[in-house]
Amino acid sequence: MRSDRTKKAMEKAPHRSLLKANGLTDEEIARPFVGVVNSANELIPGHIHLRSVADAVKAGVRMAGGTPMEFPVIGICDGIAMNHAGMHYSLPSREIIADSIELVAMGHAFDALVFIPNCDKVVPGMLMAALRLNVPAVVVSGGPMLAGSHRGRPVDLISVFEGVGRVKAGTMTPSELAELEGCACPGAGSCAGMFTANSMNCLTEALGLGLPGNGTIPAVFAERIRLAKHAGMKVMELLKKGIKPRDIATPAAFTNAMAVDMALGCSTNTVLHVPAVAYEAGIELDLDDFNAMSARVPHLCSLSPAGPHHIEDLHRAGGIQAVMKRLAGLRVLDMKVMTATGRTLGENLREASILDDDVIRTVRTAYHKEGGIAILRGTLAPDGAVVKQSGVLPEMMKRTGPARVFDSEEKAAKVILAGGIERGDVVVIRYEGPKGGPGMREMLTPTSAIAGMGLDRDVALITDGRFSGGTRGAAIGHCSPEAAEGGPIALVREGDMIRIDIPRRRLDLLVGDKELAARKRDWKPPRKKLTGVLKRYARMSLSADKGARYED
């Protein structure tokens, strides 16, 4: 056992003495050591309940003959960090989460690990650590929040963000907004729609590193606690069998996860996180891999913010296993891949049932013939940009309009909320990329304002930053190369015409080559005074098309 490095032989008497100082008995020291990585805190609704999940995991480990040892990990709530300086720190936290887990796990020589994440950057950060360390591991998330209810209709956090725009547009009163904010998020869990946290928890299950139910069992259900106990027991089985994360998260497994991504209409942030996670397993994913899968897999589930359903509805319909069972009929899944159950995907899916053909549609009745995400290229984004095409209204799939250019999110949000954007405009927000932001902030405030003000049928938004999974509309992010590196988005001027053609996967700046060359000669990147984490991230991060991960 790896933990023998800390406890076996006479020379390790000092190590055993320290372990006994924690109250461990000789019997507990003799068993395998299982690290329980817990992101519980009192900051994030998705994490407020994770201590009970960790207790269940530890109970499962003990039932299966292991000795659990819990240690913490940081987390940032993207919703609370939104639209102020705090959002600069969210994406960099992903790398710090992965690094901090590596430090503790290597320093203490665990035999196995159970990861308990729940929200945006915590899930991919833990997945990156699992594949980097490659010791037997299971991921069990805290689960999704239930949808709220406001005047007889289901609501969630995005309802509140869009409510701000509705108040500005005069279609909602401030008192109604106050009423909405009190009921949209009814309790613990990751926000109720197919936003980034739930997208990544669902893809963790599709990848095989989470047990069936990981992505969809609501946080407040007792079923979530039972799942956590099974995760603790199952990691001991994986340890006994010698099954490690890289035996599960193979190239074929990542292909399976991308197929589920397209069927669900997941957050565009998956296009950042999935390649970064794959890289830790020595697997290189390209943006074109997402486009290729989008062409093969129809959009089968329409969840908030793009559609009427929430994660609890998907759970009642059979969850991710049911979605994969549907996809199995398309022959896009590798059924032989190993999973955290200790069985293959094909063996797991024998027990899956599709319980609601409205929530998980058939191929014949799919919401869209193509998958939820599209990668666009063109003169504005030579290295690619991403859009959640399943959330774009038909009239916005093709659009040409004049650029309204802003060099920060704050400047754009101020003008949008003040009614300064006209129908047909293409809002461009730049210098918000991985290096330029730095930290590649999410643009949920401007996109929600556009939707809440009823402009999502007429106004597109393009940025080298990124979007919350709660974004809907013609919101095109990750524009690469980013402005801070002199990408074409840095050369756009007010009034330039921009052509969007999502069906043809094109994003073009309609300005001649000579004019762009002249603008490039005159361009100078803005300088920002940076310190600490942001200074390091701006120096070390790669572009969005490379997952915005650290450069080696």
Side-chain angles (χ1 to χ4, degrees):
M1 293 189 296
R2 285 167 55 92
S3 60
D4 286 348
R5 304 172 191 174
T6 67
K7 64 187 183 184
K8 194 172 184 181
M10 180 270 293
E11 293 81 5
K12 296 301 188 294
H15 303 64
R16 293 191 295 273
S17 181
L18 290 168
L19 291 169
K20 289 180 178 181
N22 293 331
L24 294 181
T25 65
D26 286 329
E27 291 82 0
E28 288 172 305
I29 292 171
R31 296 170 183 165
F33 287 174
V34 179
V36 179
V37 190
N38 189 3
S39 57
N41 58 59
E42 296 181 352
L43 306 170
I44 309 173
H47 296 228
I48 196 75
H49 65 304
L50 292 188
R51 288 184 179 85
S52 61
V53 176
D55 287 344
V57 167
K58 288 184 284 187
V61 170
R62 292 189 185 101
M63 283 190 284
T67 297
M69 298 180 182
E70 181 182 342
F71 64 93
V73 164
I74 64 166
I76 291 176
C77 176
D78 279 25
I80 296 173
M82 198 72 65
N83 194 231
H84 62 88
M87 183 48 73
H88 289 295
Y89 292 85
S90 176
L91 186 55
S93 75
R94 184 188 71 180
E95 317 306 312
I96 292 171
I97 289 164
D99 289 350
S100 65
I101 294 169
E102 178 185 5
L103 291 169
V104 176
M106 293 302 295
H108 296 85
F110 289 112
D111 298 300
L113 293 163
V114 179
F115 295 90
I116 309 173
N118 215 29
C119 290
D120 290 12
K121 309 307 166 295
V122 185
V123 184
M126 287 195 181
L127 290 172
M128 290 165 69
L131 289 167
R132 187 184 300 174
L133 292 163
N134 201 36
V135 299
V138 176
V139 179
V140 55
S141 78
M145 185 184 294
L146 295 173
S149 178
H150 181 245
R151 301 190 177 188
R153 66 183 182 91
V155 292
D156 53 48
L157 179 65
I158 304 310
S159 308
V160 187
F161 270 99
E162 293 184 0
V164 174
R166 292 180 63 193
V167 170
K168 291 290 184 179
T171 60
M172 175 180 276
T173 66
S175 62
E176 287 173 331
L177 179 61
E179 182 183 316
L180 174 62
E181 76 175 61
C183 60
C185 299
S190 48
C191 296
M194 189 52 75
F195 314 142
T196 304
N198 289 327
S199 293
M200 289 306 301
N201 282 327
C202 289
L203 295 190
T204 297
E205 182 178 337
L207 191 58
L209 291 173
L211 297 177
N214 178 73
T216 60
I217 298 172
V220 296
F221 280 19
E223 189 180 355
R224 174 64 56 179
I225 298 300
R226 296 197 296 272
L227 182 75
K229 290 179 180 177
H230 283 128
M233 291 186 281
K234 191 59 66 175
V235 80
M236 295 299 296
E237 180 184 327
L238 297 180
L239 175 61
K240 183 177 181 180
K241 292 180 177 179
I243 298 173
K244 300 176 181 179
R246 293 184 197 173
D247 300 321
I248 294 171
T250 61
F254 276 99
T255 299
N256 288 352
M258 284 191 287
V260 173
D261 192 344
M262 297 305 157
L264 293 176
C266 286
S267 165
T268 53
N269 281 317
T270 60
V271 179
L272 278 180
H273 299 321
V274 172
V277 172
Y279 181 81
E280 298 291 347
I283 299 167
E284 293 278 359
L285 295 181
D286 187 85
L287 292 184
D288 291 334
D289 294 331
F290 288 87
N291 258 351
M293 187 57 71
S294 183
R296 298 177 63 195
V297 176
H299 177 216
L300 301 179
C301 304
S302 190
L303 296 107
S304 175
H309 301 127
H310 288 84
I311 303 297
E312 63 201 75
D313 301 311
L314 180 58
H315 179 60
R316 283 193 288 266
I320 300 306
Q321 299 299 299
V323 174
M324 297 186 85
K325 187 154 193 168
R326 184 79 82 198
L327 292 176
L330 292 177
R331 301 184 182 276
V332 295
L333 300 181
D334 187 324
M335 308 297 283
K336 296 179 181 179
V337 296
M338 181 54 63
T339 72
T341 65
R343 301 182 299 174
T344 66
L345 175 62
E347 291 171 322
N348 290 345
L349 293 188
R350 289 174 192 164
E351 300 174 5
S353 299
I354 303 166
L355 304 176
D356 191 326
D357 286 340
D358 183 41
V359 176
I360 306 172
R361 291 196 173 184
T362 66
V363 174
R364 184 176 58 83
T365 61
Y367 287 96
H368 302 97
K369 292 181 179 179
E370 294 182 338
I373 288 174
I375 306 299
L376 312 182
R377 296 183 189 271
T379 58
L380 187 56
D383 292 341
V386 60
V387 63
K388 190 184 213 181
Q389 64 175 347
S390 58
V392 180
L393 293 168
E395 54 266 44
M396 292 299 294
M397 295 294 283
K398 293 183 179 182
R399 181 60 59 116
T400 300
R404 299 294 308 278
V405 183
F406 303 93
D407 287 349
S408 74
E409 178 193 2
E410 289 88 349
K411 292 177 181 177
K414 183 178 180 180
V415 172
I416 294 168
L417 289 170
I421 298 300
E422 298 181 2
R423 297 184 186 278
D425 284 347
V426 178
V427 176
V428 176
I429 305 176
R430 62 190 180 192
Y431 297 109
E432 292 285 6
K435 292 181 181 296
M440 205 179 180
R441 289 193 292 177
E442 289 185 343
M443 304 290 158
L444 182 55
T445 294
T447 57
S448 295
I450 287 170
M453 296 171 76
L455 296 173
D456 53 324
R457 294 181 179 276
D458 301 284
V459 173
L461 191 153
I462 299 169
T463 182
D464 55 3
R466 59 194 179 92
F467 297 113
S468 162
T471 294
R472 61 186 175 96
I476 301 168
H478 309 191
C479 194
S480 302
E482 63 175 289
E485 294 196 312
I489 193 171
L491 309 179
V492 181
R493 291 183 180 173
E494 191 83 4
D496 285 348
M497 298 302 289
I498 293 174
R499 182 169 60 216
I500 300 165
D501 191 336
I502 296 173
R504 293 184 60 241
R505 305 295 193 259
R506 294 291 304 183
L507 181 62
D508 292 298
L509 175 60
L510 304 183
V511 175
D513 292 342
K514 289 184 179 180
E515 173 62 20
L516 287 178
R519 293 182 188 181
K520 186 65 177 285
R521 286 193 296 269
D522 295 335
W523 173 79
K524 291 182 181 179
R527 295 187 177 275
K528 296 182 178 181
K529 188 175 181 180
L530 302 173
T531 59
V533 170
L534 296 184
K535 184 176 181 179
R536 289 193 295 275
Y537 188 79
R539 184 178 69 247
M540 298 171 63
S541 63
L542 294 172
S543 65
D545 62 294
K546 297 292 189 295
R549 57 178 172 79
Y550 280 161
E551 186 172 13
D552 290 336

